[in-house]
Amino acid sequence: MELQNAKRIFDDAIRNKYGVGAFNFVNLETLKSILESAEENKSPVIVQCSTGAIKYAGVDTLVAMCKSYAEKMTVPVCLNLDHGATFEDCKKCIDAGFTNVMIDASHLPYEENIEVTKRVVEYAHSKGVTVEAEIGVLAGVEDEVSATEDQAKYTDPKQAYEFVKATGVDSLAIAIGTSHGTVKFKGEAKLRFDILEEVEKLLPFFPIVLHGASSIPQDMVKLAEEYGATLSGSCGIPEEMLREACSHNVCKVNVDSDLRLSFTAGIRKSLAENPSNVDMRKYNLEGMKLIKQVVKHKMDNVFGSSNRVM
């Protein structure tokens, strides 16, 4: 199957009230693990790269890997640019073969965000590519994206409505209390479902995206720490909150930190238990097994996307 843009995936998800995982990858091992799990669980899937991942591996290499795997699959696969900061970032990925791009101009003044986003939408749509944008600012640090708690701000639902109508975007990331990184909260987790519900009323049947939505599974934290990792204070979004979000119009749920954590835990364990091993394929496999385990759990028990493709 060829790589898909997000429209078909989101249309089914919003109609049937489930979420689709958007999983970040940086190399063959993470990509292969995500896609194998999607195929085995009969789930649509979005795989995505940040600009940092593109600098690390090269845009053409990442696209070629995705196309090579996707053409052998029976479930829809969308390749997304995560947090493109400029029109040029997005154009580069569209021209290379990405099928969805996110333009994140949320740090700019509102009118400039509209202007940049409209330009990306016009170019992307002319190439059959769908576009995600963002209103509001998430706290936390992940790859090349960062904001302090003081800089973070919730999405204004009326502004979100106006933004979608002004730009023609295909999906919108909103800020309701999720956060980038492995330490998402100080104290009790709280998501502003009142904001989500108001956006849903103003934009019925419109795809909403949650960034910074890793749950930071504590079994993976414990395993990584057992073999030397320092992850003090790591905590994520409670899974019951993510399930509730997916029962609304949240069609795309971003997951990055959970995969980094599980892959690292597997490799640490393998190297500690097999100190003479210098075959990276063997220790990478241990990390890949844990990524697949985490992705399957998300699809089965959190997003509800398993067995949606028959």
Side-chain angles (χ1 to χ4, degrees):
M1 185 180 290
E2 292 184 352
L3 291 172
Q4 310 279 308
N5 67 27
K7 186 177 188 313
R8 171 187 169 189
I9 292 173
F10 288 162
D11 283 351
D12 191 70
I14 206 164
R15 186 169 58 249
N16 293 295
K17 294 295 182 184
Y18 68 90
V20 177
F23 300 98
N24 285 68
F25 73 101
V26 297
N27 56 16
L28 180 148
E29 287 76 20
T30 44
L31 176 65
K32 188 171 187 285
S33 305
I34 296 162
L35 293 182
E36 283 183 356
S37 193
E39 183 70 14
E40 290 167 8
N41 292 288
K42 297 299 177 187
S43 171
V45 68
I46 298 167
V47 289
Q48 56 188 22
C49 315
S50 64
T51 53
I54 289 168
K55 290 174 184 176
Y56 173 74
V59 66
D60 293 328
T61 300
L62 295 171
V63 171
M65 287 196 302
C66 284
K67 286 183 174 179
S68 176
Y69 282 118
E71 67 185 17
K72 302 176 182 69
M73 297 178 66
T74 61
V75 301
V77 179
C78 176
L79 173 58
N80 177 54
L81 168 64
D82 189 25
H83 289 289
T86 65
F87 172 81
E88 289 72 23
D89 286 341
C90 294
K91 182 178 185 300
K92 176 182 178 180
C93 289
I94 292 166
D95 292 345
F98 280 62
T99 51
N100 192 85
V101 293
M102 182 207 183
I103 174 64
D104 183 3
S106 60
H107 58 287
L108 297 175
Y110 176 68
E111 293 300 333
E112 290 183 43
N113 190 355
I114 289 177
E115 183 180 341
V116 174
T117 301
K118 278 183 70 174
R119 188 179 176 206
V120 172
V121 167
E122 288 168 3
Y123 186 76
H125 285 182
S126 75
K127 305 291 185 179
V129 173
T130 43
V131 179
E132 172 189 337
E134 183 169 328
I135 286 286
V137 179
L138 270 68
V141 178
E142 187 170 306
D143 209 4
E144 296 186 336
V145 179
S146 65
T148 66
E149 288 186 11
D150 290 339
Q151 292 170 322
K153 57 184 179 181
Y154 291 117
T155 297
D156 179 321
K158 290 181 181 178
Q159 195 174 67
Y161 170 83
E162 293 165 357
F163 183 86
V164 168
K165 298 304 178 185
T167 60
V169 291
D170 303 285
S171 61
L172 185 68
I174 63 173
I176 62 170
T178 55
S179 175
H180 291 124
T182 59
V183 182
K184 298 185 182 295
F185 296 99
K186 292 179 180 177
E188 187 179 354
K190 182 179 180 182
L191 295 190
R192 292 287 304 276
F193 285 104
D194 57 321
I195 294 175
L196 176 58
E197 288 168 2
E198 187 62 26
V199 171
E200 190 174 31
K201 287 178 186 175
L202 293 170
L203 293 166
F205 305 106
F206 186 81
I208 300 301
V209 180
L210 285 188
H211 284 244
S214 284
S215 56
I216 315 297
Q218 292 303 298
D219 57 338
M220 295 297 167
V221 172
K222 184 177 178 181
L223 182 63
E225 289 183 328
E226 184 180 341
Y227 291 96
T230 303
L231 298 166
S232 177
S234 294
C235 61
I237 311 299
E239 291 182 348
E240 61 270 19
M241 290 186 178
L242 295 174
R243 277 192 288 270
E244 182 176 346
C246 291
S247 73
H248 292 274
N249 280 4
V250 172
C251 298
K252 176 175 178 277
V253 185
N254 283 22
V255 179
D256 187 359
S257 297
D258 289 353
L259 305 189
R260 298 184 188 204
L261 180 60
S262 54
F263 191 60
T264 300
I267 289 176
R268 282 181 175 276
K269 181 175 184 293
S270 180
L271 289 174
E273 294 179 348
N274 303 279
S276 64
N277 176 46
V278 293
D279 186 341
M280 64 186 72
R281 292 168 297 183
K282 291 182 179 178
Y283 59 73
N284 278 340
L285 277 174
E286 295 306 309
M288 292 167 72
K289 287 178 186 176
L290 294 187
I291 286 180
K292 288 185 68 175
Q293 178 180 316
V294 168
V295 172
K296 174 178 172 54
H297 174 75
K298 301 280 186 186
M299 292 174 169
D300 284 347
N301 302 308
V302 183
F303 308 147
S305 64
S306 290
N307 298 311
R308 297 289 180 172
V309 184
M310 306 303 290

